[in-house]
Amino acid sequence: MLKIIIPTIMLFPVIWYSNSTLIWINMTSYSLMINLMTLPLLNQAGNNSNNFSLTFFSDSLSSPLLMLTVWLLPLMIMASQHHLMKESLTRKKLYLSMLISLQMFLIMTFSATELILFYILFEATLIPTLIIITRWGNQTERLNAGLYFLFYTLIGSLPLLVALIYVQISLGSLNYLVMNIWFQDMSSSWSSNLLWLACIMAFMVKMPLYGLHLWLPKAHVEAPIAGSMVLAAVLLKLGGYGMLRLTIILNPTTKIMAYPFIMLCLWGMIMTSSICLRQTDLKSLIAYSSVSHMALVIVAILMQTPWSFMGATALMIAHGLTSSMLFCLANSNYERIHSRTMLLARGLQAFLPLMATWWLLASLTNLALPPFINLIGELFVIMASFSWSNVTITMTGLNMLITALYSLYMLTMTQRGKFTYHIHNIKPSYTRENTLMSMHMLPLIMLTLNPKIIMGLTY
Amino acid sequence: MKLPILTIIMTTIFTGTMLTMISSHWLLIWIGLEINMLSIIPILTKNQKPRSTEAATKYFLTQATASMLLMFTIVFNAMHSGQWTTTNIDPNNMIVSLTMIIALTMKLGMTPFHFWVPEVTQGVSLMTGMLLLTWQKLAPISIMMQMFTSINPIILLLIALMSVLVGGWGGLNQTQLRKILAYSSIAHMGWMMAILTFCPSLTMLNLLIYLMLTIIMFTMLNMNTNMTTLTLSNLWNKSPTITMMILISLLSLGGLPPLTGFLPKWIIIQELTKNNNIAMATVMAIMALLNLYFYMRLIYSTSLTLFPTPNNIKMKWQFQPKKRSLFLSPLIILSTLTLPLSPVLSTLN
């Protein structure tokens, strides 16, 4: 694992010693090389995990997420080039340093064996993200957004720290590989209910669960493009990953305690999808769509069946790529008209047809069109929840309908119809932007051919 | 103040604390505390303003009361147990244990005797405030660490919890930086005393890290003599590096991983959980977030936003820095980046 971590750390000197002409080229090319080195990790042996050392390991759950994280870094760098054009060289380097430190923490989080190390790095990802949102966001609301983001996550995760330490004392070790052998059933007392809550709430805030999701629209909307991309694609998945790792010690309390959360998720799915239909702000629409998709993931993880775990992992990867692509598309709009309002730039298909193709593909994957992996994820989750309780099909089916509605609403509002007259002088699409979109779309399409690698632990 | 006089007074302060730390006879400990208190009074009144005199008076009154309470406890203990050593206080003697805690927590500035800390720290200059919040804590903590087996844990835990709460809530409405650091001191004292009856070496660890962080905070604030949040917002123009260092130091002071300030909180929570004090650990951890909120406000005003400034702010003369900042760089690195070195703790006894 050091073969990935040390090159990522070494990107720091690459940034600080590059001059202004070479900095973007250096960053993009070296992060693409780190991508190449991470690809072999996807070759996972059956039921076992690749244990690199006592501290780092990668198994079929963490390797797709790791791949997503390293894949996203060059994409983030490419997407940030435009809005950082006017900044001084030192500020560009600072921004890229924040991205690199975030990347380093994320790689270590997804490969940590010791759960306390996972916790420390989970919290450590907050600092660079906070700095990116608050320092480089564009509106005054970014201050509030940063505070909401930081404090929602911290209030959820401090009980997690206490719970993890308690589990370490009672179980003996928090090393994930040891925990798989040494785990015991939780007693069915009130205090173990509280312990379950303490373990889960941190990840529920991160996912986010419907009632605790207030930080997400603020943070996603106010963040600059790289911040939005990494938040939507990877940081939300940290919550899912953490929950999947902790399920082993949370049995059998999960069977009882999960009910209110499953209900909140099912209801929240429909609520946030419906809110998407009434949004005027494009980024806010994509943010609420993230909440809706993640609610499905939470339902899947809490139901604890093999199919639901497969669906959860596949949905996490698929949603990561799709929602990051949607944010890039929204940003390409924002860079041209400097507003996030959907109404202001309509009928873009007449001006930018290739970009309209990317909009079409992104919207189609967002509404879970077959044969993309979004469908595989959602279908597995819906089937698992149907077998858990027949009634849930009403909610999940309704959600799929409303998801299709708002995805097509977003598509037709921005791309189709009569164009607005004031956008006749927008710049044509840059090659950089088209590369960005294709680099999002190609993994999505190719994963359709072999979804086995993203199906996670229970394939 | 003339240099020879300053040297003599500083030496006396040093002697007082050292006398307290090396003695095992209660009378000498009390004498050390008195020498310390009396010799810091001229330091507090160094700049001849009425506010400083007021601060010095408040400091003198509270510390003298605490010393007298301590004297009472010493004599009472000598009367009932017949000996004057520190380590042999009878924990079953309720009056002794109670008044001992009250005296020492009054010296340290913990709730419910914390009212003097913000006002005294505000009335004196930045470097004197640093002396007050760092050096003056050493003597009472050394006493408490010597007699930790005889302290009533329930009272101490109660005082610690209240200190964390008051330190968090009290600092929320402040814009004066010295008062913010004073409330931060109250909260950190709460964390330190919470673990004293379980594992005093963690009190020492928390004290060391807190001392380093407070020293660098005061030193960085002293470089431009920033005493309010408003003046901090001009720091980006004078020295942007210090802006970033304040960001990292304040995040470490707030206890965010992966910075060193997280280490004492983590290990204190671990020790409290091992001793079945899970509720206390959770409550203290969540209340530390209040501290983080007003540090975040400071960080916002220094590095992450630009306050409205007049147009010619960038035309300021950039002079050579004249204030000395001894050991700032190593201390910053020590107090923010040494979390990966935490396994070193297992080698200490």
Side-chain angles (χ1 to χ4, degrees), chain A residues 201-215:
Chain A
M201 285 319 276
F203 304 117
M204 288 295 179
V205 171
K206 203 77 170 142
M207 284 297 279
L209 183 65
Y210 174 58
L212 304 164
H213 68 290
L214 276 185
W215 64 272

Side-chain angles (χ1 to χ4, degrees), chain B residues 94-107:
Chain B
M94 284 195 293
I95 294 186
V96 166
S97 58
L98 187 63
T99 46
M100 182 73 73
I101 301 272
I102 292 180
L104 290 170
T105 52
M106 210 189 288
K107 280 224 172 267

Side-chain angles (χ1 to χ4, degrees), chain A residues 94 105 116 119-120 123-124 127 130-131 134-135 142-143 146-147 150-151 154-155 158 161-162 165-166 168-169, chain B residues 244 247 251 256-259 262 266 269-270 273-274 278 281-282 285-286 289 292-293 296 300 303-305 339:
Chain A
L94 273 174
F105 289 139
I116 297 267
Y119 173 82
I120 292 181
E123 298 286 296
I127 300 183
L130 174 76
I131 297 179
T134 328
R135 171 65 182 82
R142 70 188 198 272
L143 305 174
L147 281 175
L150 186 69
F151 283 98
L154 279 177
I155 291 188
L158 281 170
L161 177 64
V162 183
I165 289 178
Y166 177 75
Q168 179 175 32
I169 293 170
Chain B
M244 279 192 285
L247 190 152
L251 286 177
L256 273 191
L259 305 169
F262 175 64
W266 168 24
I269 290 179
Q270 186 168 9
T273 316
K274 276 188 195 161
I278 303 178
T282 321
I286 296 191
L289 286 180
L292 187 63
Y293 179 73
M296 280 307 300
Y300 274 14
S303 39
L304 293 179
T305 61
L339 189 67

Side-chain angles (χ1 to χ4, degrees), chain A residues 103-256:
Chain A
Q103 178 77 353
M104 175 181 76
F105 289 139
L106 281 170
I107 293 178
M108 291 204 279
T109 316
F110 282 125
S111 46
T113 42
E114 188 77 37
L115 280 182
I116 297 267
L117 180 65
F118 167 76
Y119 173 82
I120 292 181
L121 295 164
F122 175 80
E123 298 286 296
T125 58
L126 289 178
I127 300 183
T129 319
L130 174 76
I131 297 179
I132 292 177
I133 295 178
T134 328
R135 171 65 182 82
W136 276 280
N138 276 324
Q139 277 78 29
T140 43
E141 290 87 13
R142 70 188 198 272
L143 305 174
N144 232 3
L147 281 175
Y148 265 67
F149 169 65
L150 186 69
F151 283 98
Y152 263 71
T153 315
L154 279 177
I155 291 188
S157 63
L158 281 170
L160 174 67
L161 177 64
V162 183
L164 281 179
I165 289 178
Y166 177 75
V167 167
Q168 179 175 32
I169 293 170
S170 64
L171 263 189
S173 162
L174 270 185
N175 195 330
Y176 183 68
L177 306 166
V178 174
M179 248 168 50
N180 268 333
I181 307 173
W182 275 3
F183 67 93
Q184 300 157 4
D185 281 349
M186 266 193 174
S187 56
S188 57
S189 56
W190 276 104
S191 48
S192 70
N193 284 349
L194 281 177
L195 183 66
W196 189 93
L197 269 181
C199 289
I200 286 284
M201 285 319 276
F203 304 117
M204 288 295 179
V205 171
K206 203 77 170 142
M207 284 297 279
L209 183 65
Y210 174 58
L212 304 164
H213 68 290
L214 276 185
W215 64 272
L216 187 128
K218 290 183 161 56
H220 278 176
V221 165
E222 303 304 329
I225 179 60
S228 292
M229 283 168 77
V230 78
L231 263 174
V234 187
L235 288 178
L236 297 182
K237 318 305 183 265
L238 271 179
Y241 176 73
M243 271 205 280
L244 280 168
R245 285 284 180 231
L246 279 184
T247 47
I248 196 107
I249 55 170
L250 294 175
N251 276 322
T253 320
T254 316
K255 296 200 186 73
I256 317 163

